[in-house]
Amino acid sequence: MELMESIVCPGCGSLCDDIDLYVEDGEIQDVINVCAWGLSKFKGTRKFHPDRKRARLLQPSIRQGLHHRPVETEDALARAADILSKAKRPLVCGLTNIGYRAQVEAFELARVIGGVYEPEGFRFRRMVHDAWKKSDLPVLSLEEIKDKADCSVFWGFNPLHSCPRFLTRYALFPRGKFTERGFEDRKAFVVDVLETEMKKLSGQFLTAQPGNNALIADALKTLVAGQEPEQYPVKKSRLKEMAEQIRSAAFTAVFVGRGIGYDPVPEESLEAIFSLMAELNANSRCTFFPVYNEFNACGADMVLSRKTGHVRPADYSDPPVVGKNGESAFDRLDEIDAILSVGSDLFWGLPEEKIDRIKEGKTPLIVVSPYFNRTTGSCDVAIPSAVSGIEEEEIAYRMDGVPLALKQIVPAAAEGTKDILKRMRELIP
């Protein structure tokens, strides 16, 4: 049995790099230092049902009528290339659960076919990026936050459900250079729509009604500045206590999650939070940190930033489908005439009405995936792929932008995603 040490886990955006594995005869036998999310990746199980294996997609297929017909990989690639080359406004989407090299190849494919490159969940990341550009606030690495931050604010973010080891490795429990006692040297506050398990861990929980995040941030900013706010959107005593604590902290880290995106106008909430952090930086140190759930969401944004200079969807269709403000192509599904979903279960996150529109509109759907899922059951072409970071070497960007190498741990059950997309692109006339 072989021991593999310090492996990077492709379970979430934290990309924990302290995983030890025991491998025998090409199979992972045991995993050490891993959470449930990471274990589901290494063992190929369901995230919420760790005793159940996920069914691997091993045979390419093409839909004929109500059924899928098994075909050779070359035939599936040829069919996919034919669909994409004939489409006037194709969409390449998903992309957050594959490696960076595959993401670059997906971008080039979208450019060649005159389509749209849209990573899953880009709207939240775009809003954070746009708000950050208007400020001069620093973004530190997770290691710097672990060493320096003696106060953590979890805003619209429950790490226990999205990045389970985030608290133990970086944000709350670890001993850092200036937080030698770990949890005892840190204060923690939570602002979220619903009370979660984080209330017990932090002891300081503010329940924000939808649309109240901006009001809470504005009230905190006023209190930190030593003034009295016009209104208290939550309990006065709790808000005052939080303001006093974060004002007296030497270094505050504000972790912002997707919960902010459920506000009626999330951009206003983010601007108010950034304004609060600017006020804190006047007398102490404060940094913001956007949290990404998918293991390589940051990589998908890196591709956009390097190729286009922004993190909005890249649209090469003529005329464009998405506007200059970066609207989603899914808002104009009637104009999309082919979809390539890579590294994502597309139907898992879409509203039912959009799923029905794809099906009823007979929009050709191509899926590249390691596993059977809800989307593969309704697609026109299904192509199996290797699991990034488990069955193929890749690069992934941690949520703070640090690139990490993903190793191949076991033999691949299918071709690598990058190679599949490259072969597909080469078949485009």
Side-chain angles (χ1 to χ4, degrees):
M1 189 176 295
E2 178 188 2
L3 171 62
M4 301 182 70
E5 298 179 292
S6 301
I7 300 298
V8 177
C9 173
C12 71
S14 294
L15 291 176
C16 297
D17 57 0
D18 62 343
I19 308 300
D20 295 339
L21 304 170
Y22 284 96
V23 182
E24 185 177 25
D25 297 331
E27 290 188 4
I28 298 173
Q29 301 297 328
D30 198 9
V31 190
I32 302 172
N33 295 334
V34 73
C35 70
W37 277 206
L39 186 64
S40 69
K41 248 336 185 25
F42 286 113
K43 302 291 284 186
T45 58
R46 296 180 181 274
K47 186 179 291 187
F48 300 103
H49 299 280
D51 57 333
R52 294 172 59 188
K53 279 277 189 179
R54 298 186 68 186
R56 285 300 299 264
L57 178 63
L58 297 174
Q59 177 66 53
S61 64
I62 295 176
R63 175 181 287 277
Q64 283 189 338
L66 299 177
H67 304 283
H68 283 85
R69 175 172 62 88
V71 296
E72 296 298 322
T73 301
E74 289 71 18
D75 296 328
L77 288 171
R79 175 60 179 152
D82 181 62
I83 290 172
L84 294 174
S85 62
K86 291 179 179 178
K88 295 182 179 179
R89 293 186 178 86
L91 169 64
V92 180
C93 60
L95 308 166
T96 54
N97 280 307
I98 57 176
Y100 179 75
R101 297 188 183 104
Q103 290 169 338
V104 172
E105 195 59 51
F107 182 92
E108 292 303 319
L109 175 60
R111 183 183 58 80
V112 167
I113 62 178
V116 181
Y117 174 97
E118 181 177 314
E120 182 181 4
F122 82 92
R123 279 176 161 165
F124 165 69
R125 301 191 298 275
R126 184 208 73 204
M127 288 186 294
V128 171
H129 187 267
D130 289 348
W132 171 64
K133 284 176 65 176
K134 296 177 183 178
S135 71
D136 57 355
L137 295 173
V139 178
L140 304 185
S141 70
L142 287 171
E143 286 78 11
E144 290 177 296
I145 289 174
K146 179 188 73 173
D147 282 337
K148 300 176 181 178
D150 60 342
C151 182
S152 298
V153 179
F154 304 93
W155 210 310
F157 165 51
N158 182 359
L160 297 176
H161 283 195
S162 53
C163 307
R165 297 186 71 209
F166 192 80
L167 297 177
T168 56
R169 281 180 58 81
Y170 303 113
L172 196 57
F173 295 107
R175 301 175 187 272
K177 185 175 181 180
F178 300 105
T179 53
E180 296 179 352
R181 297 185 301 168
F183 181 71
E184 296 179 23
D185 282 341
R186 288 187 172 92
K187 310 177 188 74
F189 298 90
V190 182
V191 184
D192 215 332
V193 175
L194 298 174
E195 289 190 1
T196 66
E197 303 92 332
M198 288 296 294
K199 182 177 182 179
K200 294 181 180 179
L201 285 176
S202 66
Q204 305 288 342
F205 197 102
L206 299 183
T207 304
Q209 298 299 323
N212 271 13
N213 284 294
L215 296 176
I216 291 173
D218 287 338
L220 282 171
K221 176 185 175 182
T222 303
L223 289 168
V224 167
Q227 301 173 10
E228 191 72 14
E230 294 182 0
Q231 61 175 313
Y232 286 90
V234 294
K235 193 173 181 179
K236 182 177 180 178
S237 59
R238 290 188 179 181
L239 203 63
K240 282 196 168 187
E241 182 178 0
M242 180 175 176
E244 181 60 33
Q245 294 284 349
I246 62 177
R247 180 170 54 186
S248 61
F251 196 108
T252 301
V254 181
F255 302 102
V256 179
R258 283 188 182 179
I260 297 293
Y262 295 105
D263 274 0
V265 188
E267 292 85 354
E268 292 181 0
S269 300
L270 283 170
E271 288 183 9
I273 293 171
F274 274 82
S275 182
L276 165 63
M277 290 188 285
E279 181 65 35
L280 288 170
N281 265 320
N283 299 301
S284 60
R285 292 293 305 280
C286 181
T287 185
F288 91 100
F289 196 96
V291 182
Y292 305 152
N293 299 355
E294 297 83 3
F295 86 85
N296 203 22
C298 189
D301 291 346
M302 285 286 185
V303 174
L304 285 171
S305 180
R306 290 168 177 170
K307 297 286 187 178
T308 67
H310 56 70
V311 294
R312 297 181 293 278
D315 189 353
Y316 294 98
S317 58
D318 185 23
V321 177
V322 298
K324 294 182 179 179
N325 294 326
E327 296 88 350
S328 172
F330 289 100
D331 294 335
R332 301 173 67 177
L333 268 178
D334 293 339
E335 300 181 37
I336 298 296
D337 52 1
I339 298 175
L340 170 61
S341 175
V342 188
S344 172
D345 185 356
L346 176 63
F347 286 178
W348 175 262
L350 278 182
E352 289 296 327
E353 61 268 19
K354 293 187 183 296
I355 295 173
D356 292 340
R357 191 179 304 175
I358 292 174
K359 294 178 179 179
E360 293 169 3
K362 296 182 174 56
T363 305
L365 176 60
I366 305 159
V367 175
V368 178
S369 172
Y371 298 104
F372 282 105
N373 53 47
R374 186 180 178 189
T375 312
T376 59
S378 301
C379 69
D380 295 271
V381 181
I383 303 174
S385 63
V387 182
S388 296
I390 308 293
E391 298 177 345
E392 64 172 338
E393 292 185 355
E394 257 291 1
I395 296 171
Y397 282 82
R398 201 170 62 182
M399 61 177 78
D400 56 355
V402 175
L404 296 172
L406 304 180
K407 295 182 179 180
Q408 180 177 357
I409 299 165
V410 297
E415 192 173 356
T417 307
K418 176 180 72 69
D419 296 332
I420 291 172
L421 296 174
K422 182 179 180 181
R423 291 174 63 188
M424 194 181 298
R425 177 169 59 86
E426 291 172 347
L427 290 173
I428 302 295

